């Protein structure tokens, strides 16, 4: 018996982000319970510029049938998950990491004697400037534009730890 396809795809997406963080030389911690919409806390191990041990939190979502336009992916996020990311006031900055995956699991990875390749790509966005949705829309979904220019790479993951808006704790 294997994992259900949505669980399997989610595990792949989280492994994708974990691999990027490891390649960036960052530490990664998984929350013991997913009750606050955070899958990973990612941190720089020590001082980075004038900040000591900067950290951020990431909610990981995967998508095998992406839709959008030339500039954005148009991902539909449940209101509950949206509200875990939206608005100011978090002690640590929070990001949505959207991992675009091939439709079939057989295509997710490529292996050879020379490389192990994770297929497709991850993109990031911040919802700190978005207002939370009313609680009565709990089962609704919100279309979240994720900029295609926000390709998540080793360098961009490191730069998210340097962003000036990470110090914004309240509005």
């Amino acid at each position: 018996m294997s994992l259900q396809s949505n669980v399997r795809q989610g595990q792949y997406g989280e492994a994708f982000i974990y691999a990027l963080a490891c390649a960036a030389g960052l530490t990664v911690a998984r929350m013991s319970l997913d009750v606050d919409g955070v899958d990973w806390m990612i941190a720089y191990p020590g001082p980075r510029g004038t900040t000591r041990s900067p950290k951020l939190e990431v909610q990981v979502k995967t998508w095998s049938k992406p839709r959008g336009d030339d500039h954005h992916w148009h991902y539909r996020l449940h209101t509950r998950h949206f509200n875990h990311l939206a608005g100011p006031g978090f002690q640590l900055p929070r990001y949505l990491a959207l991992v675009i995956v091939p439709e079939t699991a057989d295509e997710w990875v490529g292996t050879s004697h020379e490389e192990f390749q994770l297929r497709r790509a991850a993109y990031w966005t911040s919802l700190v400037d978005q207002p939370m949705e009313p609680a009565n829309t709990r089962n609704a979904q919100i279309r979240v534009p994720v900029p295609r220019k926000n390709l998540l790479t080793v360098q961009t993951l490191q730069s998210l730890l340097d962003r000036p808006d990470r110090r914004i704790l309240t509005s």
Side-chain angles (χ1 to χ4, degrees):
M1 181 174 169
S2 66
L3 293 173
Q4 292 178 344
S5 61
N6 62 329
V7 172
R8 189 174 174 188
Q9 183 173 304
Q11 291 287 85
Y12 176 76
E14 291 191 33
F16 198 104
I17 300 303
Y18 183 86
L20 275 173
C22 289
L26 305 172
T27 62
V28 182
R30 180 144 177 73
M31 299 295 116
S32 62
L33 294 174
D34 183 5
V35 295
D36 195 30
V38 173
D39 295 309
W40 295 107
M41 182 175 60
I42 300 173
Y44 189 83
R48 185 158 174 87
T50 59
T51 304
R52 295 174 59 182
S53 303
K55 297 171 181 61
L56 57 84
E57 296 174 324
V58 177
Q59 184 180 113
V60 181
K61 296 295 181 190
T62 58
W63 204 10
S64 63
K65 296 180 182 179
R67 289 177 293 287
D69 56 39
D70 290 343
H71 302 287
H72 294 89
W73 298 112
H74 299 299
Y75 186 71
R76 301 208 55 86
L77 192 60
H78 287 282
T79 302
R80 181 173 60 93
H81 296 139
F82 178 87
N83 284 342
H84 284 307
L85 298 168
F90 294 108
Q91 186 173 21
L92 299 175
R94 288 191 176 186
Y95 296 97
L96 171 65
L98 179 61
V99 181
I100 306 296
V101 303
E103 285 193 52
T104 62
D106 293 344
E107 299 174 52
W108 291 351
V109 298
T111 56
S112 73
H113 292 283
E114 301 298 319
E115 67 183 358
F116 180 81
Q117 182 183 51
L118 299 176
R119 299 245 170 82
R120 296 295 191 265
Y123 300 84
W124 66 272
T125 195
S126 170
L127 302 177
V128 70
D129 61 342
Q130 299 294 311
M132 292 176 63
E133 290 294 315
N136 62 351
T137 59
R138 182 179 176 125
N139 292 325
Q141 292 184 337
I142 298 162
R143 191 177 92 167
V144 176
V146 179
R148 288 185 186 228
K149 69 178 182 176
N150 288 3
L151 182 66
L152 196 55
T153 66
V154 165
Q155 293 76 24
T156 57
L157 188 53
Q158 290 170 332
S159 73
L160 289 175
L161 290 164
D162 293 332
R163 290 174 59 100
D165 65 352
R166 65 175 282 98
R167 292 177 184 81
I168 298 172
L169 300 179
T170 60
S171 57

